[in-house]
Amino acid sequence: VEIKQYAGKNLRTLVPRVIGQKVVPLPPTPRWDEATLIGDIAARHGQEAANVAKKLVDWGKSNSLRLQWGKAARVGSCYLTLDHQGNSNHCFAVWTWGQVGIPFRYMRAPFDDEAKRLELLGRLNTIPSIDLPADSVARLPRFPLSALSDAESLEQFLKTFDWVIDEIRAT
């Protein structure tokens, strides 16, 4: 450490300076993609949760949805997004913390109407392993990937979002 002294009329200032200090670069932020997302879910929550996530991502690709990969350093995400008439319509998200999120508060037409979001909520809540509260339609509620590990629950969830896509494309 070097300290320089500057003196003037009735004033003295000491200015420290570190000599030889190296700048330590930050570790790179992971680039999330399908392989890293599924791999991280498998490592954190097991292969069953990773299999559900893979099926959700595959469904999105088969329905020509855009997969928006998160950029966070610790938590990976994928938003399955339908681009329609200039709007990005987020259907649902998959996170490496082992959850699926329904972005009600970010939904566009026709789901910008609360009655339509309540209809979607009702359809989701008919899936035995999902029980989202009524105020979910103004938020971004989440539930565990394990809620869709049963083949019937997963099929019902995907049919619900087939309906969502049909409704969006009909606008």
Side-chain angles (χ1 to χ4, degrees):
V1 176
E2 173 185 78
I3 299 178
K4 287 193 175 190
Q5 176 177 295
Y6 298 94
K9 210 177 193 180
N10 297 326
L11 181 65
R12 185 174 84 155
T13 303
L14 301 174
V15 178
R17 182 176 91 151
V18 177
I19 299 172
Q21 181 181 18
K22 293 182 181 179
V23 174
V24 179
L26 295 172
T29 301
R31 294 241 198 244
W32 295 103
D33 59 18
E34 184 175 347
T36 56
L37 182 89
I38 303 301
D40 198 65
I41 290 171
R44 291 183 190 202
H45 305 284
Q47 194 57 49
E48 188 174 277
N51 291 343
V52 171
K54 173 78 170 122
K55 288 174 184 172
L56 294 174
V57 169
D58 287 347
W59 174 87
K61 290 191 287 189
S62 71
N63 282 282
S64 302
L65 299 184
R66 181 167 44 93
L67 305 179
Q68 289 184 266
W69 302 103
K71 295 180 173 97
R74 293 188 191 125
V75 177
S77 63
C78 177
Y79 276 83
L80 288 86
T81 304
L82 173 64
D83 293 317
H84 180 69
Q85 295 186 347
N87 288 320
S88 293
N89 300 278
H90 300 306
C91 293
F92 57 88
V94 178
W95 287 297
T96 58
W97 58 53
Q99 294 183 324
V100 175
I102 311 298
F104 285 110
R105 71 178 182 196
Y106 300 115
M107 290 184 151
R108 310 271 176 133
F111 293 95
D112 53 351
D113 177 53
E114 184 176 358
K116 202 69 169 169
R117 290 193 311 274
L118 285 167
E119 184 178 355
L120 171 55
L121 177 67
R123 287 174 182 247
L124 290 169
N125 280 340
T126 63
I127 300 170
S129 50
I130 297 176
D131 184 25
L132 300 173
D135 69 347
S136 294
V137 297
R139 298 182 296 112
L140 198 159
R142 301 181 296 252
F143 59 87
L145 282 163
S146 60
L148 302 176
S149 59
D150 170 80
E152 288 179 29
S153 294
L154 179 61
E155 182 180 351
Q156 191 174 351
F157 179 82
L158 295 178
K159 282 184 178 180
T160 297
F161 280 93
D162 286 336
W163 170 78
V164 167
I165 289 172
D166 289 344
E167 292 291 305
I168 292 170
R169 287 183 175 152
T171 60

